[in-house]
Amino acid sequence: MSADVTTLLQAWHKGDPQALEDLTSIVYRELRRVAHHYMAGQPAGCTLQATALVNEAFLKLVDGNRVRWQDRNHFFAVSANVMRRILVDYARSRNYQKRGAGARPVALNEELDAMPERGTDLVALDDGMNQLARVDPRKCRVVEMKFFGGLTTDEIAGVLGVSEPTVLRDWKLAKAWLSKELRNA
Amino acid sequence: MTPERWRRIERLYHAALELPPHERDIFLRTECAADDCLRQELESLLREGDGRLLSGRALDVAARQFAQESEPDLTGRTLGRYEVLSRLGSGAWEWSIALAIPG
């Protein structure tokens, strides 16, 4: 499967629109697989384990050794951008379904409150990132590579051609600004 | 926001972070002088601290939301003073409810 993803990412980067559709179905398959672990009723405390599993799953999608057309880090940066597109589109389609139902969500009591938290609104986050990109594109890319692509600070520094402390400072301010924006959204 | 203003925010934000918390207030008041908007913007950014936003990975966030779509059926259950009537949407939180009137 990893070979497929690598080939598809290369095809998409060269402008083949069909490649993005194929990548989407592969990422959805991963999503379902990971979601099953959550649905298996694992108690609290397994979150870390599940997160490690997700990162592993994503890394398995891309076979960095087969990358010839650019260096490995840039390839992962492209895959982070693809991941962002796919996951935000997925979240947007879910939001659309909710709006279509004409209902406003409401927390009923502690029984419902105890359900897994809803987590970050990826659509609102994407909007915030686009706003951020208008004044500071590099910080938007840092968020994309770290949060959507799972790249390390070291890898991000390599892609952007800046030092690791610069990446960390970008990340810190971008995170504070996005938190503030999403809170006020 | 202009890129110039953003760069000013960035410089002051990191400078303030390097100070002990009790010195930040006077630092911001001095640096921002008459620009209350700038000071408030910086204060709210500094308040965000190390929030939980972006603490995981996007795929993980999406997978959790995906899993929530498969929550068990709540139809007919009583939750406090409410009775769940039917499912409205695809998420775990979209349920039609009615007040359960006793007797």
Side-chain angles (χ1 to χ4, degrees):
Chain A
M1 185 177 76
S2 61
D4 292 348
V5 171
T6 306
T7 309
L8 286 169
L9 277 168
Q10 286 167 334
W12 179 76
H13 194 69
K14 284 175 189 153
D16 175 6
Q18 177 62 36
L20 188 62
E21 275 183 44
D22 296 343
L23 281 166
T24 301
S25 61
I26 290 171
V27 171
Y28 274 31
R29 203 163 65 212
E30 280 306 301
L31 258 181
R32 274 195 292 277
R33 199 175 71 75
V34 174
H36 276 297
H37 284 269
Y38 284 116
M39 288 186 289
Q42 293 177 349
C46 287
T47 314
L48 272 179
Q49 202 187 336
T51 304
L53 194 128
V54 172
N55 290 335
E56 191 198 346
F58 181 53
L59 288 175
K60 272 188 196 157
L61 291 175
V62 176
D63 178 3
N65 296 326
R66 291 188 62 252
V67 178
R68 286 183 293 267
W69 50 282
Q70 265 185 341
D71 73 70
R72 185 179 166 278
N73 287 350
H74 279 94
F75 185 78
F76 282 122
V78 171
S79 75
N81 180 263
V82 169
M83 200 66 166
R84 176 182 173 193
R85 279 164 182 258
I86 293 173
L87 293 182
V88 170
D89 280 353
Y90 164 72
R92 189 171 284 121
S93 70
R94 287 183 72 248
N95 289 358
Y96 179 78
Q97 284 168 13
K98 285 185 210 165
R99 275 200 304 275
R104 280 195 60 78
V106 42
L108 298 176
N109 67 2
E110 64 279 3
E111 188 169 356
L112 273 185
D113 286 342
M115 282 182 169
E117 57 163 326
R118 309 185 77 203
T120 307
D121 181 344
L122 294 180
V123 177
L125 175 67
D126 186 60
D127 290 344
M129 285 169 69
N130 287 337
Q131 275 190 51
L132 181 60
R134 274 182 223 127
V135 285
D136 197 334
R138 193 180 72 195
K139 284 184 185 49
C140 176
R141 292 197 69 200
V142 168
V143 173
E144 183 175 281
M145 288 189 270
K146 195 170 164 79
F147 181 65
F148 286 93
L151 270 72
T152 63
T153 304
D154 171 45
E155 288 164 341
I156 297 169
V159 173
L160 296 175
V162 297
S163 70
E164 287 186 48
T166 299
V167 172
L168 291 173
R169 281 156 65 96
D170 277 4
W171 172 248
K172 200 169 179 72
L173 177 54
K175 207 167 92 153
W177 190 81
L178 288 166
S179 297
K180 186 172 77 68
E181 287 300 299
L182 262 63
R183 197 186 305 285
N184 300 334
Chain B
M1 179 161 39
T2 62
E4 293 72 31
R5 189 173 179 85
W6 174 250
R7 275 196 287 277
R8 195 162 173 222
I9 287 173
E10 179 170 21
R11 185 179 61 77
L12 292 173
Y13 173 79
H14 291 299
L17 270 185
E18 286 180 14
L19 296 171
H22 66 275
E23 288 177 22
R24 288 177 193 169
D25 189 45
I26 191 137
F27 169 77
L28 290 181
R29 281 180 193 285
T30 310
E31 289 290 329
C32 301
D35 194 340
D36 279 346
C37 277
L38 181 66
R39 183 174 51 79
Q40 284 163 13
E41 171 90 20
L42 282 158
E43 281 171 355
S44 58
L45 285 171
L46 290 164
R47 268 199 303 275
E48 292 297 335
D50 281 320
R52 291 186 58 252
L53 181 75
L54 307 179
S55 56
R57 288 281 174 268
L59 184 69
D60 194 28
V61 169
R64 282 165 182 273
Q65 291 169 354
F66 193 99
Q68 283 182 12
E69 289 176 2
S70 310
E71 288 294 335
D73 193 353
L74 296 178
T75 310
R77 282 176 63 183
T78 306
L79 298 163
R81 293 180 300 133
Y82 297 92
E83 184 190 349
V84 179
L85 296 179
S86 64
R87 183 153 224 165
L88 287 177
S90 57
W93 299 81
E94 281 72 45
W95 296 87
S96 167
I97 57 161
L99 260 176
I101 309 291

